Amino acid sequence: MADYYGSCLCGNAKFEVQGKVDGFYLCHCRHCQKDTGSAHAANLFSKSARLKWLPGADSVTTFTLSGTRHTTSFCKFCGSLMPGIHQDGLLVIPAGCLDTPVTLRPNAHIFTSSKAGWDKDLDDVPEFCRFPE
């Protein structure tokens, strides 16, 4: 039985992950900000877990930024970030693509020297359970 199941937004790519997660990090590097269009990426990492594509492996493509170790995998139809195996055999799983609830708490924020200026002191920002009217 898989430990995690996930899919892209359009449903073309589906996967399961079996095995232990080694870490869960919120990455604030500029590359992850560009990938996500947000303040940070939220990724689970594993050296030993196995990724198995159900349908849709051919829907996923991988991009490596020239001159860096930064690699991202995504659905070529809807753009959703997807799991991928990086150059050193590290499996990176974007937490947001998981359909299985993530019960892990992030281990740390990383690359905080690049943290977006607007991503701080947010406890007093109003919250809404849906788009505000």
Side-chain angles (χ1 to χ4, degrees):
M1 177 174 223
D3 294 310
Y4 296 98
Y5 288 96
S7 61
C8 65
L9 186 60
C10 69
N12 278 317
K14 296 181 181 176
F15 64 91
E16 63 180 45
V17 173
Q18 294 180 333
K20 178 181 174 284
V21 169
D22 300 321
F24 182 11
Y25 296 99
L26 305 178
C27 183
H28 294 267
C29 80
R30 291 291 297 147
H31 302 317
C32 284
Q33 290 174 20
K34 292 282 187 179
D35 281 347
T36 64
S38 187
H40 59 78
N43 291 312
L44 290 83
F45 295 85
S46 180
K47 281 279 206 176
S48 59
R50 299 282 179 228
L51 171 65
K52 178 182 176 187
W53 291 103
L54 302 172
D58 57 339
S59 299
V60 177
T61 192
T62 299
F63 170 77
T64 300
L65 184 60
S66 179
T68 73
R69 297 181 341 168
H70 185 79
T71 299
T72 186
S73 297
F74 55 93
C75 174
K76 55 188 167 184
F77 297 105
C78 67
S80 297
L81 294 179
M82 296 270 85
I85 309 286
H86 289 227
Q87 66 187 19
D88 55 359
L90 183 67
L91 173 60
V92 178
I93 309 155
C97 72
L98 291 170
D99 298 324
T100 303
V102 179
T103 58
L104 303 170
R105 181 172 166 80
N107 296 86
H109 291 267
I110 58 176
F111 293 98
T112 56
S113 61
S114 304
K115 193 171 186 176
W118 49 267
D119 186 24
K120 50 183 135 184
D121 302 321
L122 299 176
D123 289 341
D124 61 344
V125 174
E127 295 182 19
F128 300 90
C129 62
R130 61 180 64 92
F131 196 79
E133 305 270 332

